[in-house]
């Protein structure tokens, strides 16, 4: 005989071994002990909860002459014969393959004969939901009043397929899913009996993946053991069940909730490359969000458990965001079911989750911050205007030398207004940009043909509530746009009608945009480091001398750009 | 045949099974899942050969002896292959299996049963297998091969040990396909290079994908001719359910690329027109691009609901135009 699967070796042989169904086993034991058994039972419940095992134990217990409190002795000849499946009076029928009326007629014939060895003749009809309608009806009369000493036990996973007339003639027992703790306890017991070392965390993972089925749990345990050379480790358990480690889930959620799309995508790629199933990833994420919610509401005040990551994450993320995240996750999971390339839905969910936090932050923590930046920018513009006034009063200076080119391409005569751009960047937000992009096509449609010719290659690259930066693909069109006062006025009024508020526009050629953004970020970080100093000073004394030179020399043009917004 | 190949493709699983064979710890039922071409059948045969081989090396078959050769050519009486008869595996076939379950092997006591496309078992066939798979008598090992687990009875799954086939990552696949001179798009459609070559020869896929990109460019340009494209360009090429599924898959891959474009990475499957898409798409906000992607990703579900395919595509066209151009 070859190797036998754990679930076959450890099939329960007495009621006490049948874990997780205390109510049922107790009832059956009492019935047997008091000799008040019914003539027909119906065992229903999901896979791996002990229906067939219960039926076999019942057959033993009722026939065993040495039973104690309803438990079979498992020693006597009859008990052993039943365990080995060679007692003629316990008849196990696979209803799925013997589902026709003829087979039921056969049972009806044979029911009449008395048991040969044991006291009771027991028919265990497994997978009874597969009987045909005719077969069910043929069984009705026999089931209602079988001859003495005959007991029927029907077992099925799908009770809704059984006619009501059958159910009403039987005593029905609903087997429940076995909870994780019970599964773990049973696995621990088996592993100890088998003298195998194990990691408790591994059993937890298996129990969760088994979803209440003991057979599932033991199958997976078997697999874990054979993978890990007779050791149950967490790593193998994760591999076998395909579940995702809590730390990885936490890392992913931390990334998306802090809007870092890149690491989140990386995490997902890694998990998929490891052979994880997108569906299981979704399950894992949803479960982790559930744990976060529980942590926030129920276990808030409990003493710190081992899982510090969960607790810190739960403190950081607002409950509302978790609810929204759950909505997104379950929605994508639903949509995913029909697709072949399921990983796309994970990507979509990731992008959505990343966006989610930004909305929320804007709604909750932003006001104060926004106020500050607004004031700062105001100070900056005032200061700038002052500078310009001073400059204007002086006789105009001609630039002595050309400023160094910012980019390597063709030199542009007009430099973009850096101060204005920085102001916009200071209070720029994703939503404003999205909003602007949404109406940009409509805005283009409102322009005249010649104006559109200039603006066609332009697109907004950054925007705040009150101002926006527009980039031009070609430098000469940028110059044209800067020089065209009429176009600018037109754009501002049209935008005002589309968005319902005044938006100042600043132009720049596309080739300079990456450099400017980089400079800005550098300065921004610099600013942050010395946040006590005034922003204006920072902007002026920025170490980027190029930008400074450009501002000084082209102050006049900059002024021009600012001015048009005032009319 | 295919012996080296399967070790290279499934190093983890072959090593695992070799170990089991060596220590005689094979259980009675295994469930192998993975898309077509992932080597499920080869692995099952490999394990069978390992069991029967006259000169096994650490549980691995030699591939040369008579037993091995008979198994790899499908002529061994104790290795039974069950294929769907027509569209499904029927009860009669499982009845035949049952008799096989009950009798010992022809040449030895060992027996291997391989059920291909097990998800195609009819409900009654699957149910009638339950009792036998749970506790087969004698030395029998059953391999159930399925593409996707969702379509299998949970009661069957819980009786088996479940293994997922290792698949080459997307990048690896794209790389090997490029080396073979195949379109990267095919890497998204199949993991089997043989099938990929076949698809490339048939030309339908490539033609469809070309028309798909043209159609989408029209949508982005706000050209209403895109609507006509459905009738004129797509429908002549999509005549049966398989081609519908293929097109839906193309849409999925396309939306994957669109999403890549939206978050600023490179398009992978539809490289030819990548630049044109990029130029046009940067105009739109992320939310808008995401809505469009979701519209595309909604199509698999609608197709499953048996909506007329042309209607489905026309509605999609209108929705997309509305999404992009308001």
């Amino acid at each position: 005989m070859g190797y036998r699967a754990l679930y076959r070796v450890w099939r329960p042989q007495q009621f006490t071994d049948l874990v997780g169904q205390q109510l049922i086993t107790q009832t059956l034991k009492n019935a047997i002990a008091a000799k008040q058994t019914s003539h027909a039972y119906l065992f229903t419940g999901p896979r791996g909860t002990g229906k067939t095992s219960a039926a076999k134990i019942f057959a033993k217990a009722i026939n065993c002459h040495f039973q104690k409190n309803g438990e079979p002795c498992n020693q006597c000849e009859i008990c052993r014969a039943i365990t080995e499946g060679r007692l003629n009076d316990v008849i196990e029928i696979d209803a799925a393959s013997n589902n026709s009326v003829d087979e039921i007629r056969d049972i009806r014939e044979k029911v009449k004969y008395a048991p040969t060895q044991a006291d009771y003749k027991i028919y265990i009809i497994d997978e009874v939901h597969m009987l045909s309608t005719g077969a069910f009806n043929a069984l009705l009369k026999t089931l209602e009043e079988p001859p003495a000493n005959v007991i029927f036990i029907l077992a099925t996973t799908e009770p809704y397929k059984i006619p009501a007339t059958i159910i009403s003639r039987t005593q029905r027992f609903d087997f429940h899913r076995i909870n994780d703790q019970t599964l773990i306890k049973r696995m621990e017991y088996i592993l100890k009996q088998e003298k195998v070392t194990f990691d408790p965390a591994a059993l937890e993972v298996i129990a969760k993946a088994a979803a209440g089925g003991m057979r599932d749990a033991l199958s997976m345990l078997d697999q874990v053991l054979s993978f890990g050379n007779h050791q149950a480790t967490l790593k193998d358990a994760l591999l076998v069940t395909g579940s995702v480690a809590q730390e990885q889930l936490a890392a992913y959620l931390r990334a998306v909730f802090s809007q870092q799309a890149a690491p989140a995508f990386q995490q997902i790629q890694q998990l998929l490359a490891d052979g994880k199933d997108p569906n299981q990833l979704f399950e894992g994420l949803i479960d982790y969000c559930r744990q976060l919610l529980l942590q926030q509401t129920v276990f808030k005040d409990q003493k710190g458990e081992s899982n510090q990551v969960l607790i810190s994450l739960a403190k950081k993320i607002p409950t509302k965001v978790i609810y929204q995240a759950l909505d997104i996750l379950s929605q994508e999971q639903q949509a995913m079911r029909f697709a072949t390339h399921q990983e796309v839905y994970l990507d979509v969910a990731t992008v959505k989750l990343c966006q989610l936090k930004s909305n929320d932050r804007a709604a909750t923590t932003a006001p104060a911050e926004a106020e500050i930046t607004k004031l700062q920018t105001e100070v900056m513009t005032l200061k700038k205007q002052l500078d310009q006034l001073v400059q204007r009063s002086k006789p105009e200076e001609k630039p002595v030398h050309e400023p160094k080119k910012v980019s390597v391409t063709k030199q542009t005569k007009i430099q973009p207004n850096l101060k204005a751009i920085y102001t916009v960047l200071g209070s720029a937000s994703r939503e404003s940009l999205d909003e602007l992009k949404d109406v940009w096509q409509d805005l283009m449609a409102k322009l005249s043909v010649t104006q559109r010719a200039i603006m066609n290659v332009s697109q907004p690259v950054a925007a705040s509530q009150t101002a926006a930066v527009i980039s031009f693909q070609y430098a000469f069109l940028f110059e044209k746009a800067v020089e065209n006062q009429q176009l600018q006025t037109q754009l501002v009024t049209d935008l005002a009608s589309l968005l319902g508020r005044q938006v100042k526009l600043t132009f720049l050629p596309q080739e300079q945009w990456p450099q400017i953004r980089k400079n800005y970020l550098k300065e921004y970080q610099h600013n942050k480091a010395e946040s006590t100093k005034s922003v204006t000073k920072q902007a002026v004394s920025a170490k980027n001398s190029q930008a400074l030179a450009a501002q000084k020399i082209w102050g006049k043009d900059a002024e021009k750009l600012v001015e048009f917004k005032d009319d | 045949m295919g012996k080296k190949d399967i070790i290279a493709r499934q190093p983890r699983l072959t090593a695992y099974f070799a170990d089991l064979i060596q220590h005689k710890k094979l259980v009675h039922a295994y469930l192998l899942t993975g898309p077509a071409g992932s080597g499920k059948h080869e692995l099952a045969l490999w394990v069978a050969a390992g069991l029967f081989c006259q000169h096994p090396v650490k549980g691995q078959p030699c591939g040369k002896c008579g037993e091995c050769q008979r198994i790899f050519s499908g002529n061994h009486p104790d290795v039974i292959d069950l294929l769907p008869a027509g569209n499904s595996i029927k009860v009669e076939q499982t009845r035949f299996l049952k008799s096989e379950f009950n009798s010992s092997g022809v040449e030895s006591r060992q027996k291997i049963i391989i059920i291909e496309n097990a998800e195609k078992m009819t409900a009654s066939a699957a149910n009638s297998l339950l009792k036998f798979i749970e506790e087969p008598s004698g030395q029998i090992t059953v391999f159930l091969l399925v593409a996707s687990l969702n379509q299998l009875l949970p009661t069957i799954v819980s009786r088996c040990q479940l293994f997922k086939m290792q698949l080459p990552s997307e990048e690896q696949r794209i790389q090997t396909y490029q080396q073979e001179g195949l379109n990267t798009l095919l890497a998204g459609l199949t993991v089997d290079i043989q099938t990929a070559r076949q698809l490339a020869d048939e030309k339908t896929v490539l033609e469809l994908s070309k028309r798909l990109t043209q159609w989408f460019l029209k949508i982005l340009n706000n050209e209403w001719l895109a609507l006509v494209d459905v009738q004129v360009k797509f429908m002549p090429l999509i005549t049966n359910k398989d081609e519908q599924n293929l097109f839906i898959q193309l849409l999925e891959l396309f939306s994957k690329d669109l999403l890549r474009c939206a978050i600023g990475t490179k398009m992978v499957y539809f490289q030819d027109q990548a630049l044109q898409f990029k130029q046009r798409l940067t105009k739109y906000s992320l939310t808008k691009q995401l809505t469009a992607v979701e519209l595309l990703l909604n199509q698999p579900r609608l197709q499953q609901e048996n909506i007329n395919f042309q209607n489905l595509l026309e509605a999609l066209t209108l929705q997309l135009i509305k999404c992009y151009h308001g």
Side-chain angles (χ1 to χ4, degrees), chain B residues 1 11 30 38 57 59 88-90 92 146 187 200 211 260 262 269 300:
Chain B
M1 187 200 101
Y30 291 99
S38 53
V57 188
S88 55
I89 297 178
K90 302 187 173 67
E92 292 79 51
V146 291
R211 292 184 184 184
R260 282 200 175 104
Y269 297 119

Side-chain angles (χ1 to χ4, degrees), chain A residues 1-8 11 46-48 52 56 92-99 126-127 129-130 157-158 161 215-216 218-220 222-223 225-227 229-230 239-240 261 265 269 273-279 331-332 334-335 337-345 347-348 351-352 355 430 433-435 437-442 456 458-460 473, chain B residues 12-13 16 19-20 23-28 91 95 98 123-139 150 153-155 157-164 167 169-171 187-189 245 248-250 252-253 255-256 259-260 263 269 279 281-290 293-294 296-302 304-305 324-325:
Chain A
M1 197 65 204
Y3 179 76
R4 291 205 319 158
L6 274 184
Y7 79 79
R8 291 170 69 187
R11 195 180 262 294
R47 81 245 123 58
T52 314
K56 283 182 180 167
E92 202 177 330
I93 298 166
D94 171 21
S97 26
N98 306 298
N99 61 351
D126 219 344
E127 318 297 345
H129 60 272
M130 288 308 288
T157 45
E158 294 167 66
K161 284 189 181 162
R215 187 172 50 219
D216 297 57
L218 292 184
S219 279
M220 281 186 257
D222 218 350
Q223 216 169 327
L225 290 183
S226 58
F227 250 117
N229 230 340
H230 240 61
L239 188 73
V240 166
F265 273 109
Q269 286 307 324
D274 286 349
K276 304 291 183 208
D277 181 45
N279 195 29
Q331 190 190 334
E332 292 303 322
Q334 278 292 318
R337 283 203 326 225
F338 306 95
T340 357
H341 297 272
Q342 303 186 323
E343 62 282 358
V344 200
Y345 294 84
D347 294 347
V348 172
V351 176
K352 275 180 153 183
Q355 280 191 318
R430 182 93 232 170
L433 181 61
D434 279 356
E435 203 182 357
K437 275 188 173 182
D438 280 343
V439 298
W440 196 249
Q441 295 304 316
D442 299 334
N456 224 0
S458 69
Q459 66 181 57
Q473 208 172 345
Chain B
R12 205 171 66 206
L13 289 182
Y16 171 74
D19 192 50
L20 287 187
H23 296 105
K24 295 200 171 28
K25 283 180 80 173
L26 230 48
V27 294
H28 57 280
V91 194
R95 293 241 167 87
K98 234 181 310 171
S124 46
N127 274 294
S128 69
L129 211 58
L130 279 178
K131 289 300 276 181
F132 293 92
I133 279 194
E134 184 163 20
E135 300 198 332
S137 51
Q139 289 175 309
N150 311 345
L153 273 184
T155 37
V157 180
S158 91
R159 282 162 166 81
C160 307
Q161 289 200 5
L162 175 67
F163 287 94
K164 222 176 140 182
L167 292 176
S169 74
E170 198 183 17
E171 286 124 54
L189 289 175
N245 289 335
I248 289 287
Q249 279 203 44
L250 283 178
E252 284 173 24
L253 292 177
S255 51
K256 205 171 172 180
L259 196 69
R260 282 200 175 104
I263 58 171
Y269 297 119
Q279 268 176 16
L281 283 170
T282 39
K283 276 188 214 154
Y284 301 103
S285 64
L286 188 61
T287 348
K288 219 166 211 184
Q289 293 189 42
L290 207 61
V293 168
E294 282 196 279
L296 285 168
L297 286 181
N298 206 11
Q299 303 312 310
R301 185 176 61 82
L302 294 177
Q304 296 273 318
E305 284 168 3
Y324 281 121
H325 306 286

